Amino acid sequence: MKSIMADLKILRSNPKRFVKETKNWISAASGSLLYIIPLLLIFATMKAFATGNLLGIFVNAGGYAAFLLAAQLLRRGLKAEIVYREKRVASVPKWPLKGMASIIVAITTFSVAWLGAHNSFMVSAAFGAGAFLGMILCYGLDPSKQKTVAGNHGYTIEEISSTIEAAESVILSIENANNRIRNLEFNTRIDRICETARTILDELEANPSAIRRTRKFLIVYLESTNKVTTGYANTHLQAETPELEQNFRSLLDNIENVFKEQKEKLLQEDLFDLDVQIEVLAKQLKHEGIV
Amino acid sequence: MSLWFKRFLGLILLITTVGIATCQSLVKADEHPKIQALSTVIGR
């Protein structure tokens, strides 16, 4: 559940990377359908109250609450599925949320048909089975296979996912800091840096054997960029001096250039040169008092 | 069966079953089966 929530957090706050196919009409309509269809149960509850039908009150009110729960689970399941589809490397969602929603809908429909509408047991069972089948046909089953990249890269799905998610959260932090900076030039540059970082993460997903090199790269560069950007975002509104601006500009220049170079080198698997470059930048950042 | 058709069929099935069950429940929300059975017995 925790990893699904982490995925959803990334999805919600980081739409550029994952949300590419949310325009699917069935997905868009799907989340809200289970909120809308059982609306009549509210009126049924009111009618049961008005006529003093205690069983009716419980069945109709409880039924509506159960449909709402199923709708929530379904929406989360659909979002988790989008995250799963968009990733090249992904583990199976921990909870089969869509399946749980289908079972709740089936049981609730059966109960409403039996206790609320006073149908026979078998007819009510047919209602429940129909609702279950409808849910499965309409929304499908939960993902059941782990997605990984072929090849002997020697990393588990958890290692790859955690590296990528950690880097994603740093990129997100940079973007949040960038939103607080009131300078179009800097905003554009930081956006470009984040784009390059995402390209590297895409490459990493496609080729996990580069994790060792990429991890070092991400720790030094992304973390430093994060510190620089957050620091500037915190201070520039209080004391904006031309000197501070110029320092930040030159740092961004360096980071941006070296970032591009590193991306190319990573793609070319030029390990030795990469390590040297990382050392140079680390020293430079240390000299500037950032690391 | 294409995916689109499968989803459409599922949608119809879902709307039909849940929709009819809730409609029936609304119509019969004022019925008390046990009280009605009792009044039938008393009526005899």
Side-chain angles (χ1 to χ4, degrees):
Chain A
M1 195 72 179
K2 223 173 185 180
S3 76
I4 293 171
M5 294 315 291
D7 282 342
L8 293 180
K9 204 174 167 191
I10 289 169
L11 174 71
R12 261 187 236 117
S13 47
N14 187 11
K16 284 182 201 167
R17 184 170 161 78
F18 289 125
V19 184
K20 288 174 190 167
E21 40 180 87
T22 45
K23 298 295 175 192
N24 188 339
W25 68 272
I26 200 91
S27 292
S30 59
S32 18
L33 196 65
L34 284 181
Y35 291 104
I36 298 165
I37 312 177
L39 272 177
L40 285 178
L41 288 179
I42 294 176
F43 298 106
T45 310
M46 289 158 76
K47 195 174 172 186
F49 264 114
T51 54
N53 181 2
L54 188 65
L55 182 67
I57 294 169
F58 280 121
V59 169
N60 292 314
Y64 188 68
F67 277 121
L68 287 189
L69 175 68
Q72 280 289 332
L73 290 175
L74 180 68
R75 285 184 73 145
R76 287 184 179 202
L78 288 170
K79 281 180 183 172
E81 191 182 19
I82 292 172
V83 172
Y84 172 87
R85 275 192 201 157
E86 288 296 318
K87 285 179 170 179
R88 286 197 188 107
V89 178
S91 47
V92 177
K94 211 170 185 177
W95 296 93
L97 295 171
K98 290 200 300 181
M100 285 159 71
S102 303
I103 291 169
I104 291 173
V105 166
I107 293 172
T108 312
T109 309
F110 164 76
S111 307
V112 169
W114 192 35
L115 300 170
H118 311 305
N119 286 305
S120 71
F121 184 84
M122 290 311 289
V123 170
S124 306
F127 267 100
F132 184 74
L133 190 63
M135 286 289 288
I136 297 296
L137 285 176
C138 194
Y139 303 115
L141 297 165
D142 291 282
S144 58
K145 284 181 187 169
Q146 289 195 329
K147 281 167 81 176
T148 187
V149 178
N152 188 20
H153 46 73
Y155 290 99
T156 63
I157 291 173
E158 283 71 28
E159 282 174 318
I160 301 165
S161 296
S162 65
T163 306
I164 290 170
E165 277 170 19
E168 278 288 349
S169 67
V170 179
I171 294 174
L172 200 62
S173 169
I174 296 169
E175 284 177 336
N176 285 339
N178 193 21
N179 288 338
R180 288 186 284 129
I181 295 174
R182 302 276 171 266
N183 184 315
L184 194 60
E185 180 204 341
F186 293 160
N187 293 146
T188 316
R189 283 181 172 202
I190 295 167
D191 273 343
R192 274 204 300 264
I193 289 171
C194 292
E195 274 306 312
T196 315
R198 288 212 164 86
T199 314
I200 291 168
L201 291 187
D202 282 343
E203 286 302 321
L204 183 65
E205 272 187 336
N207 177 22
S209 59
I211 273 194
R212 190 175 64 81
R213 287 173 288 141
T214 319
R215 191 179 277 158
K216 196 173 176 184
F217 169 83
L218 293 174
I219 288 169
V220 175
Y221 282 104
L222 272 184
E223 285 295 343
S224 306
T225 310
N226 188 22
K227 280 181 186 169
V228 172
T229 316
T230 310
Y232 183 76
N234 289 339
T235 54
H236 83 292
L237 287 176
Q238 295 152 10
E240 192 163 7
T241 60
E243 196 187 348
L244 177 71
E245 201 171 294
Q246 192 50 45
N247 280 346
F248 188 59
R249 184 174 285 112
S250 67
L251 260 173
L252 280 184
D253 269 343
N254 284 342
I255 290 172
E256 201 177 350
N257 289 334
V258 181
F259 234 93
K260 280 180 195 161
E261 284 175 29
Q262 297 310 306
K263 189 185 85 179
E264 295 305 318
K265 286 184 168 53
L266 269 172
L267 297 179
Q268 292 161 12
E269 301 191 356
D270 195 350
L271 183 59
F272 177 74
D273 199 21
L274 176 68
D275 279 347
V276 173
Q277 290 274 1
I278 288 173
E279 290 304 320
V280 171
L281 187 76
K283 277 181 187 168
Q284 193 178 352
L285 291 168
K286 203 171 181 178
H287 180 71
E288 297 278 350
I290 291 153
V291 194
Chain B
M1 206 185 332
S2 72
L3 184 69
W4 187 90
F5 183 68
K6 229 160 87 172
R7 286 185 169 182
F8 181 70
L9 200 67
L11 198 67
I12 298 297
L13 199 56
L14 191 64
I15 291 173
T16 309
T17 50
V18 178
I20 290 177
T22 51
C23 278
Q24 284 181 339
S25 189
L26 173 63
V27 171
K28 297 182 182 177
D30 54 351
E31 287 184 16
H32 307 252
K34 282 183 182 169
I35 294 171
Q36 280 168 354
L38 192 68
S39 52
T40 312
V41 171
I42 293 168
R44 274 179 202 165

